[in-house]
Amino acid sequence: MTSDSGAAEPGTIEPIPAAPAAPAEGPLDPAALDRLFRAARTHNAWQDRPVADRTLEALYDLVKWGPTSANASPARFLFVRTAEGKAKLKEALSAGNIEKTMTAPVTAIVATDMEFHERLPFLFPHADARSWFAGNAALAEETALRNATLQGAYLILAARALGLDAGPMSGFDKEKVDALFLAGTGWKSNFLVNLGYGDPAGLFPRSPRLSFDEACRLL
Amino acid sequence: MTSDSGAAEPGTIEPIPAAPAAPAEGPLDPAALDRLFRAARTHNAWQDRPVADRTLEALYDLVKWGPTSANASPARFLFVRTAEGKAKLKEALSAGNIEKTMTAPVTAIVATDMEFHERLPFLFPHADARSWFAGNAALAEETALRNATLQGAYLILAARALGLDAGPMSGFDKEKVDALFLAGTGWKSNFLVNLGYGDPAGLFPRSPRLSFDEACRLL
């Protein structure tokens, strides 16, 4: 991102400098844990409050650091925020996802570059990682999907870390999104994430979670 | 988690109460963004510093709140921390992943419950979500893998939020892990995450990332 001499676009989160010293030990403060996990919700209604393109750059500047296998970084993010883009996306949405997506300031299409290994000579320069995948389509596909999905989760949590709310969705016609947005790219849609500032009035009651004993084992 | 009257086990992160008020607006402080994303690294060597079982409970108490499709929560986490468990896991590891995994205080096997939809009457009580998946094996498998992978990413970032370091890996024999650890459960291994307190001396130089213009589109 470049620095601006003029006034910032509304909805801009400016670049955030690195902390002056190494992070302190121990957990983040309770408010940060609430923001990221415990009080965060999947939003269905949105405040009339913009999200600037520079904020999307700040968002990617967090997401990109999340770990992936061999640093393969296979996710691609299409940030749909114009009326034209939203109208195109609408054609592919499940009925229940239309209104919240049309009213969200931005909808991210989290996509997977199925040819991600072509970037490995740059991304993983200390070994011939490209060759691990170029001749093994099954491993390449599995690696692409797993790691692009991890990066989609990083997007959700990075949005929350910036003070945005996220609304992830998988109820859409993937083939249609691929045809409308990704033709000729070698990218495939994975899931969608609405981004903006949620309106708590649109929240459903929170659903229960599995207990530690139901979901975990100590071995 | 229950409260303890005695002294805490070494390596215990005690339960963290909710913040007294709603989280403030705007981004988390720079040190938190560094901790979660910008300064965080995939660790290969570990300090001789324990991770208590209660810390793993505190970890799951963050992870469980992350969003999944229809709140399906298909991930299962096996925390391997005994010598016996580690020795069993060793048989399934790629050569390059053995030493760091044997020396990590805990290795999480992130698994996927392929029968996750049997829990939907509890997890998503306001609709018959079980029926969406019970008769559609392809949708069930895709949903299980995508959402368990998202939850694996939540595990990585929740560990960092608690001040732990994470070392995710996919270099292992999944069939062997399934046979050794998951026989009879209906769960399948997805990836592994070493957990502990990293030793910076074991870090490799950081690899480059794709620029915004390479990985993103504004539409």
Side-chain angles (χ1 to χ4, degrees), chain A residues 42 168 209, chain B residues 66-74 147-148 150-151 154:
Chain A
T42 290
R209 296 298 195 271
Chain B
T68 55
S69 296
N71 193 36
S73 310
N147 288 280
L150 292 174
Q151 290 182 280
Y154 305 151

Side-chain angles (χ1 to χ4, degrees), chain A residues 13-21 23-40 42 47 49 53 56-57 60-69 71-73 75-82 85 109 119 122-126 142-143 145-147 149-158 160-163 168-170 174 181 187 189-191 197 204-219, chain B residues 13-21 23-40 42 47 49 53 56-57 60-69 71-73 75-82 85 109 119 122-126 142-143 145-147 149-158 160-163 168-170 174 181 187 189-191 197 204-219:
Chain A
I13 293 173
E14 291 295 341
I16 300 153
E25 290 234 328
L28 298 180
D29 66 74
L33 300 180
D34 288 349
R35 169 91 74 84
L36 293 165
F37 295 104
R38 303 187 300 185
T42 290
Q47 300 173 44
R49 187 172 161 191
D53 291 347
L56 300 174
E57 293 179 28
Y60 178 71
D61 275 343
L62 298 177
V63 171
K64 70 181 181 185
W65 295 118
T68 55
S69 297
N71 194 36
S73 311
R76 303 293 177 261
F77 302 101
L78 291 87
F79 296 108
V80 183
R81 76 277 192 262
T82 62
I109 301 172
R119 303 307 309 270
F122 168 72
L123 290 167
F124 200 74
H126 41 287
E142 181 184 322
T143 302
L145 292 175
R146 179 183 299 113
N147 288 281
T149 303
L150 292 175
Q151 290 182 281
Y154 305 152
L155 182 82
I156 294 168
L157 291 177
R160 293 172 173 180
L162 288 180
M169 300 172 288
S170 52
K174 291 170 69 174
F181 289 93
W187 306 352
S189 57
N190 186 333
F191 65 105
Y197 297 90
F204 302 121
R206 200 163 202 187
S207 293
R209 296 298 195 271
L210 299 177
S211 70
F212 184 88
D213 290 342
E214 290 172 304
C216 302
R217 297 282 180 274
L218 292 167
L219 302 174
Chain B
I13 294 173
E14 292 294 341
I16 300 153
E25 291 234 328
L28 297 181
D29 66 75
L33 300 179
D34 288 349
R35 169 92 73 87
L36 292 166
F37 295 104
R38 303 187 301 186
T42 290
Q47 300 174 44
R49 187 173 160 191
D53 291 348
L56 301 174
E57 294 179 28
Y60 178 71
D61 274 344
L62 297 177
V63 172
K64 70 181 182 184
W65 295 118
T68 55
S69 296
N71 193 36
S73 310
R76 304 291 178 262
F77 303 101
L78 290 86
F79 295 109
V80 182
R81 76 272 193 265
T82 62
I109 301 172
R119 303 306 310 269
F122 168 72
L123 290 167
F124 200 74
H126 41 287
E142 180 184 322
T143 302
L145 292 175
R146 180 184 298 113
N147 288 280
T149 302
L150 292 174
Q151 290 182 280
Y154 305 151
L155 182 82
I156 294 167
L157 291 177
R160 293 172 172 181
L162 287 180
M169 301 172 287
S170 52
K174 292 171 69 173
F181 290 93
W187 306 354
S189 57
N190 186 334
F191 65 105
Y197 296 90
F204 302 121
R206 200 164 202 185
S207 292
R209 297 299 195 270
L210 299 176
S211 71
F212 184 87
D213 290 343
E214 290 172 305
C216 303
R217 297 283 180 273
L218 292 167
L219 301 174

Side-chain angles (χ1 to χ4, degrees), chain B residues 25 35 63 73 90 100 103 113 116 122 125 182 192 212:
Chain B
E25 291 234 328
R35 169 92 73 87
V63 172
S73 310
K90 186 178 179 181
K100 56 190 172 188
T103 54
D113 184 353
F116 70 93
F122 168 72
L182 304 175
L192 307 178
F212 184 87

